[in-house]
Amino acid sequence: METKIFKAADLPQVIDLLKSGEVVAFPTETVYGLGADALLPAAVKQVFAVKGRPADNPLIVHVSDFEMTKQFVEKYHPLTQQIIKEFWPGPLTLIFELKKGALNPVVTGGLSTAAFRVPDNKITLKLIKEAGFPLVGPSANTSGKPSPTTAEHVYHDLNGKIAGILDDGATQIGVESTVLDLSGDVPTILRPGAVTKEILEDVLGIEVPLDAHLVKETETPKAPGMKYKHYSPDTPVYMVENSDWPAAIDWAKSENLRVGILAGPAISDKFTGLNHFIFENDSIEAATHGLFSGLRALDQREDVDIIFANVFSEIDLGLAYMNRLKKAAGQKYFKK
């Protein structure tokens, strides 16, 4: 299969492909999604096959507006209108209880709930609106590997496996959306993202708990990204606390391991002669934006045996960054 690169002017071709059951990657403000018509089970199964994704892992349904969810959702939490007014379009996914039979079990992982999002990307919103049907949209990468934040990342993983990629440049945020479960009485975060716990609590005026348990391989997750290990490159990744960097570098040298450093300038500038992926600055925003790109860039280098990545405090956006980094590292910290 030839994987074509499409631009905004090519939307009619993309829509025709999706209507015929093909799989096309699309841009969002978070990461690139792997799109198929959510109402065509055969097309959705292709998404799982292309990614090598476990069939019990539910998919996020991308819609053009809140109105599009009404044909699927049984009931809405009382805070739904307040939430969508504040955060849609945007990097917030909402889980609702479904009408019976509204979506095929291949989309929901066999659950009675489904996750919905209105992405904050003009091209993709136009795509969904003009197509007239919702798109499933897991990250457009090989399952378990770092998510793609550029069309080039998608092409690297899926060239020859999908019909096309709708290219809109690099994504703005760099990690997947926050997932908020609204199917129960208490809104609960299942996956942290750019819409943080603190932001939600400030807007809603209530405590919003975080479900931090890691789903085992034998469990069915209620939302994507809840597995113990995820987003992992082939090269081993270790998380490094600020005070442990000199010891980590010395240990790697003693083991004749070629190090790749994933950090901001404050850390990277201290160690010369090594491979680096340097975040634009030392902020958590820059680290979050560059995390997946950095993991991919260092993983593709033949002269890197191990990746050391800088940690951040698990507050605000740092919670989303560390959620991804911990899974990329298989929960492993460097210890003296």
Side-chain angles (χ1 to χ4, degrees), residues 236 238 248-260 274-275 303-308:
Y238 284 83
I249 299 298
D250 288 345
W251 171 80
K253 289 179 178 178
S254 72
E255 297 291 323
N256 292 316
L257 294 172
R258 294 168 297 180
V259 176
L274 301 175
N275 295 296
D303 55 352
V304 170
D305 301 315
I306 191 169
I307 298 171
F308 287 154

Side-chain angles (χ1 to χ4, degrees), residues 26 33 36 96 99 103-104 138 140 144 160 165 193-194 197 207 212 217 220 222 275 277 282 305 310 314 319 326:
F26 61 88
F96 300 118
K99 295 176 182 176
L103 285 171
N104 192 282
I165 303 165
K197 172 181 169 70
E207 181 180 353
E217 293 302 317
T220 299
K222 200 170 186 179
N275 295 296
F277 184 93
D282 293 308
D305 301 315
N310 198 36
E314 294 184 55
L319 186 62
K326 283 181 176 180

Side-chain angles (χ1 to χ4, degrees), residues 183-200:
S183 64
D185 293 333
V186 180
T188 302
I189 297 171
L190 300 187
R191 181 178 72 185
V195 178
T196 66
K197 172 181 169 70
E198 292 80 4
I199 290 172
L200 284 166

Side-chain angles (χ1 to χ4, degrees), residues 6-14 123 126 166-167:
F6 297 105
K7 295 293 186 178
D10 303 316
L11 282 187
Q13 297 178 57
V14 175
I123 293 175
K126 186 177 180 182
L166 183 56
D167 184 4

Side-chain angles (χ1 to χ4, degrees), residues 2 4 6 10-24 35-37 40 43 133 162-165:
E2 179 186 0
K4 297 181 179 180
F6 297 105
D10 303 316
L11 282 187
Q13 297 178 57
V14 175
I15 291 170
D16 286 344
L17 286 169
L18 291 168
K19 285 182 176 179
S20 66
E22 297 289 351
V23 177
V24 179
D37 184 344
L40 292 179
F133 50 78
I162 62 176
I165 303 165

Side-chain angles (χ1 to χ4, degrees), residues 102-142:
L103 285 171
N104 192 282
V106 71
V107 176
T108 65
L111 300 172
S112 63
T113 57
F116 295 87
R117 181 162 98 86
V118 178
D120 191 12
N121 180 282
K122 291 181 180 179
I123 293 175
T124 292
L125 286 178
K126 186 177 180 182
L127 168 65
I128 300 170
K129 186 173 183 179
E130 293 187 0
F133 50 78
L135 299 178
V136 296
S139 56
N141 59 301
T142 302

Side-chain angles (χ1 to χ4, degrees), residues 34 64 66 132 138 142-143 160 173 178 182 186 189 208 229 242 301:
L34 193 57
S64 58
F66 178 64
T142 302
S143 186
I173 295 174
T178 305
L182 292 181
V186 180
I189 297 171
V208 180
K229 188 176 182 181
N242 286 338
R301 294 188 64 111

Side-chain angles (χ1 to χ4, degrees), residues 77 79 83 92-95 178-192 197 200-201 204 206-213 222-223 226:
H77 191 280
L79 291 172
I83 291 169
L92 180 65
T93 295
L94 303 176
I95 294 180
T178 305
V179 177
L180 185 68
D181 186 2
L182 292 181
S183 64
D185 293 333
V186 180
T188 302
I189 297 171
L190 300 187
R191 181 178 72 185
K197 172 181 169 70
L200 284 166
E201 290 178 340
L204 300 179
I206 61 171
E207 181 180 353
V208 180
L210 171 70
D211 183 348
H213 94 281
K222 200 170 186 179
M226 295 180 71

